[in-house]
Amino acid sequence: VGSLAPGASATASFTMSVTGAVCPVPATLAEADFANGARGPQSRVVSNAVGVTCVQAVLELAKSADRAVAPLGSPLTYRLTLTNTGTDTATAVTVWDTLPPGAAFVSCAGGTGCGWDGTRVTWTAADMPPGGTLALEAVADPAANLGCPNVAEVAYANSAGLARPHAVSNPVCVPPAQAALSLTLTGDRPVYASGQPVTHTIAFGNAGTDTAVNIRIWDTLPAGSGSVSFTGPGAVQAGDWVLWTLPAVPPGAIDPKNPQPPPVSGTGS
């Protein structure tokens, strides 16, 4: 810089390129050495600290499913929402979702294109400015019980083309639908005399999330039972027990006082 007279000032400047490898740039200080005239000792002065805050693209990925359980053979839709919550445009955006074990790919939609490579669904997308959002979806057929949990991922770069860290969605788990058949057996009286008819009623229902099929209900007759009559779907007597068969019972709450479907019953003396 040379000499600087009392009351005078001077400026010095430099230009740097922020590569994005370190962002924000840590605060830096400027320093100067100087002497007092021709005779004074050497001195040093330090400036204030100045940092650089740079804009960055920040993509966030949210995942959901269109149902809470997955009946076998009923297509399931996974939905992805991609949002740029940063201050820079996201470029080279690629999203992928590795389908869980047991899921058979059906279709995909969204972005500038999507496809299935036998393992995962991949989407490409146009540049996403700050605040931009993108909706994607994949449809799969639960051919078997789905593995849990399942996440999607996104890779992208900033507007300068420098790669940003991958973002991972929230995990999603869609358990298989299950039937849960319950039975309630009641008698029409607590005490009965020998030879007096007594009726047993079996109320049944399905409190699960899937249809119960190929149902067999039976009641072993008490020792000493005489003649027996019975009602209900597919009822037959086989020796000392009564058997009812039903093709299916859909999901539904159980109310023993008003069961759905109707109860099965038998009367003996």
Side-chain angles (χ1 to χ4, degrees), residues 33-162:
D33 290 330
F34 67 97
N36 185 13
R39 301 176 304 280
Q42 193 81 2
S43 300
R44 175 168 294 184
V45 64
V46 179
S47 75
N48 58 296
V50 173
V52 177
T53 300
C54 48
V55 295
Q56 285 285 21
V58 179
L59 294 187
E60 295 183 359
L61 186 59
K63 181 173 182 177
S64 63
D66 68 343
R67 65 191 65 190
V69 296
L72 296 182
S74 180
L76 171 71
T77 299
Y78 290 108
R79 294 190 173 96
L80 306 177
T81 301
L82 187 63
T83 305
N84 185 355
T85 61
T87 53
D88 189 18
T89 296
T91 63
V93 178
T94 301
V95 180
W96 64 91
D97 188 349
T98 302
L99 295 183
F105 174 75
V106 176
S107 64
C108 60
T112 57
C114 66
W116 166 251
D117 65 3
T119 302
R120 66 185 190 180
V121 185
T122 302
W123 295 263
T124 54
D127 294 350
M128 294 184 62
T133 61
L134 180 65
L136 310 169
E137 71 174 38
V139 179
D141 188 359
N145 292 344
L146 300 180
C148 287
N150 175 241
V151 298
E153 299 182 61
V154 57
Y156 62 103
N158 63 17
S159 59
L162 295 169

Side-chain angles (χ1 to χ4, degrees), residues 177-183 204-217 245-252 261:
Q178 296 283 4
L181 196 68
S182 294
L183 304 176
F204 59 92
N206 182 2
T209 55
D210 197 10
T211 297
V213 298
N214 302 325
I215 302 164
R216 299 169 71 245
I217 301 173
T245 57
L246 299 89
V249 176

